[in-house]
Amino acid sequence: MAGGLSMAPGLCDRRCETAGEIRSWDDRSVTRPLDRDRSLEELARDRWPAPSADATRLITTAHALRHRPIGELTVEDMRLLIGQDIGLPYLLPLAVEVLRENPMAEGHMYEGDLLSAVLTRSPSLWAEFPELGRELRGIVSKSTGLPTDLRRKVERFLIA
């Protein structure tokens, strides 16, 4: 994920890159700067209390990842956070950027696990991010040879 963000067709009116900032949007479709050097906690301006001593590995990992600059998150980090519906307004644009280059990007689970995490978010989410939804539809429409399980998730996403 090093380097600049390439522009996707149809997103130029809602997202641009200027001096290291990426413009993204919130659920009101208002643009705001999205800085890859900032963490989810900083971007969302939402500080979570420290996890309890008996918290699961998933909870402690998610908490720790919220402190890492989003530009440093790996495919696995995004898969985990997106799968838990954490930081979606900030992570979905980054995930779609990765999927644009490699729809079968893999974290630690299986080939295509990032795509699976993105596709299985609530269908109502895509109404909040219509440009991302359209771009994702374009990405998956061109994808061939998908494993059966992933192909089913694509089909459910496309009809939603």
Side-chain angles (χ1 to χ4, degrees), residues 33-47:
L34 180 57
D35 184 346
R36 289 178 190 235
D37 294 328
R38 296 181 66 187
S39 68
L40 287 174
E41 184 174 82
E42 292 170 319
L43 291 166
R45 295 183 178 124
D46 181 23
R47 187 170 299 247

Side-chain angles (χ1 to χ4, degrees), residues 6 13 16-18 20 41 43 49 56 60 74-75 88 116 122 126 149-151:
S6 59
D13 59 334
C16 64
E17 184 174 2
T18 311
E41 184 174 82
L43 291 166
T56 65
T60 57
T74 66
V75 169
L88 296 180
S116 179
S122 170
W126 301 106
D149 182 54
L150 197 49
R151 191 174 60 245

Side-chain angles (χ1 to χ4, degrees), residues 44-121:
R45 295 183 178 124
D46 181 23
R47 187 170 299 247
W48 291 2
S52 66
D54 63 344
T56 65
R57 181 174 178 218
L58 175 62
I59 290 171
T60 57
T61 301
H63 275 255
L65 291 174
R66 289 187 75 252
H67 295 278
R68 186 176 298 162
I70 62 170
E72 294 178 11
L73 296 175
T74 66
V75 169
E76 173 60 16
D77 299 337
M78 287 189 287
R79 181 206 62 80
L80 184 143
L81 291 165
I82 290 169
Q84 297 299 311
D85 292 323
I86 297 171
L88 296 180
Y90 310 100
L91 297 180
L92 286 176
L94 298 178
V96 169
E97 176 184 319
V98 170
L99 295 170
R100 185 184 318 126
E101 297 299 319
N102 179 9
M104 296 303 288
E106 179 178 352
H108 294 161
M109 301 285 286
Y110 53 89
E111 189 177 26
D113 58 6
L114 179 62
L115 178 59
S116 179
V118 170
L119 289 172
T120 55
R121 297 308 90 216

